[in-house]
Amino acid sequence: MGAQPAAELSAMKTNPKFIFFTDFDGTITLQDSNDFMTDNIGYGREKRRQGNLDTLEEKITFRDSFREMMDSVTKPYNECIQYLVNNIKLDPHFTKFYEWALENNIPVVVLSSGMEPIIKAILKNLLGPSADKMEVIGNFVKARPGKTINEERGWEIEFRNPESGFGHDKSIELRKYSSLPESVRPTMFYAGDGVSDLSAARETDLLFAKKGHDLISYCARENVPFTVFEDWYTILEKCKEITEGKTTVHDAAREGFEAYKSGTAGLKA
């Protein structure tokens, strides 16, 4: 199968020179909505955190660990959405970044291992009408046999790529863009924080990995270049430097490992 034509890719409609792909939970938001549900109305933080660690150590796939997390949440789906809308907060600097991106023809695309209806509801609550300009690509939700999703134990996650150990293999979407001819291929950014981002880590020109989180441990172990971010102010300033030609994605990508080795990435080398 050949590469998909640029005209068929939604984020290429305005012929951008840059595209920003991003994880959602714990990256755009201050809390991970799936972790928040699991910790508070599922089987709890201790078991959830062990699943994250087991995934990093390749003892279990992310898909299977995440399914166990979601299966532990038994409240009706509409109640879960409202619970998260009431509790999940936006990174305080994301709105400014998003406004800058819209003004500069830089599409922002959410690639998430969470469920699209939850993500869209949270974004709509946090960003208002401009949230509709952001493409969201994630997993789905479906009713369990004989039930509806809005009843107790009535729903389950439906993975976008069920054959993949990631459930949603973000690299599949990213490669549609990275495989474009050089004459039209945009520079690709990606921001993430955890184990759901492992499939995306190698696929973009510059990976922003959140300070103190699991993605940095993986990148350092696998020699994947990255730069560290604390919040979206950090990302905005770095993107401005790159788009204005003051630095390159290659220079920025070297910074992360140096920060990891020096201890300023929030994790011990």
Side-chain angles (χ1 to χ4, degrees), residues 169-182:
D169 185 344
K170 299 178 182 184
S171 69
I172 293 173
E173 190 67 23
L174 292 169
R175 285 174 187 153
K176 294 176 184 177
Y177 292 84
S178 63
S179 63
L180 290 171
E182 190 174 340

Side-chain angles (χ1 to χ4, degrees), residues 3-269:
Q4 191 167 351
E8 295 180 7
L9 298 173
S10 57
M12 291 298 295
K13 289 177 181 176
T14 58
N15 299 313
K17 293 182 178 179
F18 302 89
I19 298 180
F20 205 108
F21 298 90
T22 178
D23 175 50
F24 177 73
D25 286 295
T27 301
I28 289 177
T29 59
L30 296 179
Q31 311 98 322
D32 183 306
S33 64
N34 304 300
D35 290 355
F36 191 83
M37 278 200 297
T38 305
D39 293 357
N40 292 286
I41 56 175
Y43 58 39
R45 184 185 187 282
E46 185 176 351
K47 189 171 182 181
R48 187 266 301 167
R49 184 61 186 143
Q50 187 58 54
N52 293 159
L53 295 173
D54 288 346
T55 301
L56 269 177
E57 295 170 9
E58 299 180 346
K59 295 178 180 177
I60 188 173
T61 64
F62 176 83
R63 178 197 61 213
D64 293 345
S65 174
F66 192 59
R67 183 183 292 283
E68 288 178 8
M69 284 172 54
M70 293 299 95
D71 283 349
S72 78
V73 178
T74 61
K75 285 186 178 295
Y77 196 66
N78 58 339
E79 291 184 20
C80 290
I81 289 180
Q82 192 58 51
Y83 179 65
L84 294 171
V85 166
N86 292 343
N87 286 281
I88 300 301
K89 307 300 181 189
L90 196 67
D91 180 292
H93 301 285
F94 180 77
T95 300
K96 187 173 182 181
F97 167 85
Y98 186 46
E99 290 170 350
W100 172 83
L102 290 176
E103 290 169 2
N104 288 275
N105 189 29
I106 301 175
V108 178
V109 181
V110 171
L111 296 181
S112 176
S113 291
M115 291 161 280
E116 287 185 4
I118 284 178
I119 297 164
K120 290 177 179 178
I122 293 173
L123 284 173
K124 190 78 169 179
N125 178 60
L126 295 173
L127 292 173
S130 67
D132 293 335
K133 298 177 182 178
M134 192 183 307
E135 186 177 6
V136 175
I137 302 171
N139 290 312
F140 313 107
V141 62
K142 65 179 180 180
R144 293 183 183 276
K147 291 182 175 268
T148 66
I149 62 173
N150 293 329
E151 63 179 291
E152 192 77 10
R153 296 186 183 277
W155 63 274
E156 62 181 328
I157 189 167
E158 182 177 20
F159 289 109
R160 177 175 286 271
N161 309 117
E163 73 289 347
S164 165
F166 292 105
H168 176 199
D169 185 344
K170 299 178 182 184
S171 69
I172 293 173
E173 190 67 23
L174 292 169
R175 285 174 187 153
K176 294 176 184 177
Y177 292 84
S178 63
S179 63
L180 290 171
E182 190 174 340
S183 58
V184 296
R185 182 196 183 284
T187 298
M188 298 165 58
F189 301 111
Y190 184 87
D193 69 327
V195 293
S196 73
D197 300 303
L198 302 187
S199 67
R202 297 182 185 275
E203 302 298 332
T204 53
D205 299 302
L206 181 59
L207 171 68
F208 290 91
K210 193 167 187 178
K211 182 175 181 178
H213 287 256
D214 291 335
L215 183 58
I216 289 177
S217 302
Y218 170 84
C219 290
R221 186 184 76 200
E222 301 294 327
N223 293 314
V224 176
F226 65 97
T227 191
V228 180
F229 79 97
E230 293 190 52
D231 53 39
W232 283 83
Y233 176 81
T234 316
I235 292 176
L236 175 57
E237 292 305 302
K238 184 61 65 179
C239 285
K240 283 182 177 178
E241 290 179 13
I242 292 167
T243 58
E244 293 168 7
K246 295 176 180 177
T247 189
T248 69
V249 289
H250 303 293
D251 289 339
R254 282 197 294 265
E255 296 171 359
F257 193 72
E258 293 169 3
Y260 174 76
K261 295 297 288 184
S262 68
T264 58
L267 293 167
K268 293 181 180 178

